[in-house]
Amino acid sequence: MAMPPSRPWAELQHDLLVAIMTRVGAPDLLSGGASRACSSWRAAARDPLAWRRVDLRDWVALTSGRRAARPGHSSSSVPVHAALFGILEVAAKSAEGRIEAVLLPEFADEDHLLFLADRCPNLHYFSLPSTCMTYDQFCKAIGGLHSLKGMAVDETLINYDVLLHVHQCCPDFVELKVSALYVDEEMASVICNSLPHLKKLEIPSADMSSAAIIKFLDCLEELEHLDISGYETSAISSSVLEKASRLKVFLWNSKFELGEFMDCSNDCGEHNINPQEPCKCMMEHKVMDWLAGPAQAS
């Protein structure tokens, strides 16, 4: 069979190029190959839609090599804290107010979150790994993010007054991810009482009691997605599975159990909590994925 004729990369449609740019990541858009490519690729990198999701989790500003270039001034390095402000400023301007999600690196702090609240008031989601955040400054930032729908934060911010402030300031807030070492019934109660309308809750790789899991399932009536994968104690009982059967997604993989179930997106009516017995539609999807061959590395 004859191979199809090759086509120049520059001829890719603009919308497809923009989709590619969204996967490249902000650091590469700013200083990587996109800025040195052909005009159509550069145009796609400047499209505000390419900046809707800014992932900086793996970004490390190299203080060496970032030199001051002004004549008459000695070279000096730029601290990562200040460099991140520069990255966020460029991203905010490039997106023209359309940034929907920002995933911050580990060294980001409350000043960066306040900066985002000022520059991106329509933000829908942020991830902030910092463990050194004051309640007052965090609440101040949340007060400027009325369109916020979800966030990923450290357990140090799981406080009733803090989360209640989120609930009061952000009427569409439905998604929470928490980085925690241990989750007991008390912490679960704080989350349930302050954020009663959660639809998606992720607390992976935490030591979690069965009482905490049941608290989430009993009290969060609108919950659709619960991820407690990677927990370190065996807490999945038949009672937990029965209560979780109403969810669309329940992930509980651990070193003790291997399990997950997901509702069929095609509404075939089947719902299995046994990972060895997927519904018919899920089975068909898995077969088609297998026939398509191994996924390409991203």
Side-chain angles (χ1 to χ4, degrees):
M1 180 181 294
M3 294 294 292
S6 59
R7 299 177 61 184
W9 287 105
E11 292 183 3
L12 280 174
Q13 305 97 310
H14 179 75
D15 57 345
L16 182 55
L17 282 174
V18 171
I20 292 172
M21 293 303 166
T22 62
R23 295 176 177 271
V24 166
D28 286 328
L29 286 179
L30 290 168
S31 60
S35 61
R36 298 189 294 272
C38 61
S39 59
S40 59
W41 284 66
R42 291 196 299 271
R46 291 193 297 267
D47 193 304
L49 295 179
W51 295 86
R52 286 180 297 181
R53 184 178 185 272
V54 180
D55 188 348
L56 297 169
R57 288 174 296 179
D58 296 327
W59 176 72
V60 177
L62 300 177
T63 55
S64 60
R66 298 176 66 92
R67 306 295 182 183
R70 291 179 296 168
H73 291 264
S74 60
S75 298
S76 62
S77 61
V78 179
V80 292
H81 188 275
L84 182 56
F85 280 117
I87 294 285
L88 294 174
E89 180 68 42
V90 172
K93 290 181 178 179
S94 300
E96 297 180 359
R98 300 185 189 181
I99 290 183
E100 296 178 0
V102 175
L103 311 181
L104 293 165
E106 291 187 0
F107 63 84
D109 59 21
E110 56 198 19
D111 292 332
H112 296 112
L113 186 61
L114 287 167
F115 184 88
L116 276 179
D118 180 62
R119 298 294 198 280
C120 308
N122 297 319
L123 194 68
H124 289 174
Y125 185 93
F126 69 80
S127 172
L128 183 67
S130 174
T131 59
C132 301
M133 179 77 61
T134 63
Y135 292 165
D136 289 344
Q137 293 296 83
F138 182 81
C139 289
K140 181 180 178 181
I142 292 297
L145 295 171
H146 299 290
S147 298
L148 195 67
K149 296 181 180 180
M151 65 183 184
V153 295
D154 184 75
E155 62 182 319
T156 53
L157 289 171
I158 303 305
N159 169 276
Y160 178 78
D161 292 331
V162 171
L163 296 184
L164 182 62
H165 183 72
V166 173
H167 175 68
Q168 293 171 341
C169 293
C170 311
D172 297 323
F173 193 91
V174 294
E175 181 177 345
L176 177 66
K177 182 174 183 178
V178 181
S179 175
L181 294 177
Y182 177 71
V183 179
D184 58 11
E185 188 174 7
E186 181 179 358
M187 181 185 290
S189 296
V190 168
I191 293 174
C192 294
N193 294 334
S194 54
L195 298 172
H197 301 305
L198 281 181
K199 293 184 178 181
K200 183 175 182 179
L201 177 61
E202 298 173 283
I203 314 180
S205 304
D207 186 352
M208 187 175 303
S209 69
S210 179
I213 300 172
I214 291 175
K215 175 67 72 173
F216 289 135
L217 295 172
D218 284 345
C219 299
L220 295 176
E221 297 180 356
E222 299 176 38
L223 192 65
E224 299 176 351
H225 180 126
L226 178 60
D227 181 358
I228 56 171
S229 57
Y231 60 89
E232 297 188 5
T233 56
S234 182
I236 305 302
S237 62
S238 58
S239 175
V240 168
L241 292 177
E242 181 180 358
K243 291 176 181 292
S245 63
R246 66 178 177 86
L247 302 178
K248 291 183 178 180
V249 176
F250 182 37
L251 305 176
W252 72 91
N253 299 329
S254 79
K255 65 182 181 181
F256 292 98
E257 288 108 0
L258 176 63
E260 64 182 51
F261 68 76
M262 299 186 185
D263 259 346
C264 174
S265 59
N266 296 321
D267 296 323
C268 70
E270 295 189 29
H271 186 94
N272 266 305
I273 60 175
N274 187 341
Q276 304 301 324
E277 299 178 6
C279 72
K280 179 181 179 181
C281 290
M282 184 66 72
M283 179 82 74
E284 290 177 354
H285 284 307
K286 289 181 180 294
V287 170
M288 294 306 295
D289 288 342
W290 179 82
L291 289 174
Q296 296 296 318
S298 57

